């Protein structure tokens, strides 16, 4: 199969198992699941899909010399994301960990066509559940890993924080050191670290986007409460779930949904918040390979960066009291 990716270019996938997995129903569903959940669906952020990201992570692992099993794990790492992606974490009050898709991964995959596809090639799907067994794919924060890098590189383009030449330059300076992804250049590590923090501020932990996520979660909780939607609906695609919510004849649900729009504002209000919410904060601290062959995190080499990262996390952590300002109230 020939596949073109805007970041990694055109490549030919030779391994039949990868081709069959990409064409499976479970992986194809991800073409209808947006990375940014509701903010992508209403046009506030670029409409990047979990499919694009999943294939991209696999291509990055492949390009770094990862074995076939790790490429498979990379392709499947996000397959258990629900419609609206991380909005579901807000539904279940897991804002800070955002790990609902990991918690249900085994049970979800067991009910899809993936076990049968993998069995054809002699694999048990359970071999690919523990992502930490694949060190290029996944590392604990704030280290670099293929998952973290791919979603960042895509978003840096979509958020106008980088150009394609920036991204291509980063890819040239990625290396594998002692089984983990690192950079061979401190300037590249610095660009990665600061731009990653800017992406978190701009989107992943953006005050406005977090407010929209919480409102959408409240709408979904209401829909579950009155039986308009069920958990099975989460395993479809974004548009189908959104349409089901919009069609529900429930005044309270429609009141909440009427606020889920780009021009709704959110104001920090300690005295009279509509709700209080927190979110997951994302930063990286890339390893840099030094001339003597050893490696060190950027924070050990650049004290200014270490201090800025510390301040950023300190300022953003904790509960955010938000007052919702409807468009017609201004």
């Amino acid at each position: 199969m020939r596949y073109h990716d805007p970041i990694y270019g055109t490549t030919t996938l030779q391994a039949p198992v990868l081709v069959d997995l990409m064409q499976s129903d479970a992986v194809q569903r991800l073409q209808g699941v947006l990375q940014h959940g509701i903010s992508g669906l209403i046009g506030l952020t670029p409409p990047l899909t979990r499919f694009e990201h999943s294939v991209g992570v696999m291509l990055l692992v492949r390009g770094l010399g990862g074995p076939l099993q790790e490429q498979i794990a990379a392709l499947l790492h996000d397959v258990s994301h629900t419609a609206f992606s991380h909005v579901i974490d807000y539904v279940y009050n897991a804002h800070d960990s955002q790990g609902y898709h990991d918690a249900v991964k085994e049970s979800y995959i067991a009910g899809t066509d993936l076990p049968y596809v993998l069995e054809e090639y002699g694999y048990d799907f359970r071999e690919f559940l523990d992502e930490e067994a694949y060190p290029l794919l996944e590392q604990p924060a704030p280290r670099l890993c293929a998952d973290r890098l791919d979603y960042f590189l895509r978003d840096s383009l979509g958020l106008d924080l980088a150009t394609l030449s920036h991204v291509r330059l980063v890819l040239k300076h990625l290396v594998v050191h002692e089984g983990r992804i690192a950079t061979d250049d401190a300037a590249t590590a610095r660009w990665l670290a600061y731009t990653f923090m800017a992406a978190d501020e701009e989107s992943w932990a953006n005050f406005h986007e977090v407010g929209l996520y919480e409102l959408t979660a409240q709408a979904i909780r209401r829909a579950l409460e009155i039986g308009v939607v069920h958990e099975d609906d989460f395993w479809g695609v974004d548009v189908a779930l959104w349409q089901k919510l919009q069609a529900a004849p429930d005044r309270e649900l429609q009141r909440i949904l009427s606020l889920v729009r780009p021009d709704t504002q959110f104001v920090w209000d300690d005295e009279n918040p509509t709700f209080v919410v927190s979110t997951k904060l994302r930063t990286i601290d890339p390893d840099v390979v030094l001339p003597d062959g050893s490696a060190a995190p950027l924070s050990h080499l650049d004290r200014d960066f270490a201090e800025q990262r510390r301040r950023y996390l300190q300022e953003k952590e904790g509960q955010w009291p938000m007052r919702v300002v409807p468009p017609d109230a201004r």
Side-chain angles (χ1 to χ4, degrees), residues 131-165:
E131 293 171 19
E132 292 184 2
Y134 301 98
L136 296 180
L137 166 61
E138 198 62 58
Q139 288 289 328
R143 293 175 180 166
L144 292 182
C145 64
D147 178 22
R148 215 163 274 129
L149 275 166
D150 184 84
Y151 73 66
F152 159 68
L153 293 174
R154 288 179 196 281
D155 279 352
S156 69
L157 292 172
L159 297 169
D160 292 326
L161 296 173
T163 64
L164 195 52
S165 21

Side-chain angles (χ1 to χ4, degrees), residues 75-114:
L75 180 61
L76 301 182
H77 82 283
D78 267 358
V79 75
S80 54
H81 262 289
T82 62
F84 293 167
S85 289
H86 286 299
V87 169
I88 299 302
D89 293 300
Y90 287 68
V91 172
Y92 292 113
N93 295 312
H95 316 67
D96 299 329
S97 61
Q98 298 192 7
Y100 180 80
H101 66 292
D102 291 323
V104 300
K105 191 172 187 178
E106 181 172 2
S107 59
Y108 171 71
I109 291 179
T112 69
D113 55 346
L114 293 175

Side-chain angles (χ1 to χ4, degrees), residues 5-27:
D5 184 274
I7 291 177
Y8 309 110
T10 301
T11 187
T12 300
L13 298 177
Q14 304 284 1
V17 63
L18 292 177
V19 175
D20 286 351
L21 287 170
M22 283 179 65
Q23 294 174 339
S24 68
D25 292 342
V27 173

Side-chain angles (χ1 to χ4, degrees), residues 168-292:
R168 295 274 164 81
L169 186 61
V170 165
L171 293 175
K172 283 184 181 178
H173 287 287
L174 295 180
V175 295
V176 177
H177 180 267
E178 296 183 352
R180 302 204 316 253
I181 301 175
T183 65
D184 63 5
D185 174 66
T188 300
R190 200 171 286 110
W191 183 88
L192 274 169
Y194 279 105
T195 313
F196 198 99
M197 210 159 13
D200 194 59
E201 173 71 23
E202 183 76 17
S203 183
W204 311 324
N206 177 269
F207 195 78
H208 188 204
E209 284 193 49
V210 169
L212 288 170
Y213 270 45
E214 178 59 26
L215 278 177
T216 308
Q218 290 184 6
I220 293 172
R221 285 197 292 269
R222 173 64 180 171
L224 287 168
E225 178 187 334
I226 63 177
V228 169
V229 301
H230 303 89
E231 287 195 4
D232 287 350
D233 293 307
F234 297 166
W235 306 109
V237 297
D238 294 356
V239 170
L241 180 55
W242 184 241
Q243 289 174 343
K244 200 163 188 177
L245 292 169
Q246 294 282 350
D250 180 78
R251 182 174 296 179
E252 175 60 12
L253 174 55
Q254 294 308 319
R255 182 194 69 78
I256 301 170
L257 288 175
S258 71
L259 298 170
V260 183
R261 46 189 284 179
D263 52 353
T264 293
Q265 290 188 357
F266 301 88
V267 177
W268 188 287
D269 189 338
D270 289 305
E271 301 300 322
N272 190 31
T274 309
F275 50 75
V276 177
V277 67
S278 59
T279 194
K280 182 177 182 177
L281 303 179
R282 291 174 167 88
T283 64
I284 56 172
D285 188 7
D287 283 339
V288 181
V289 178
L290 304 174
D292 64 2

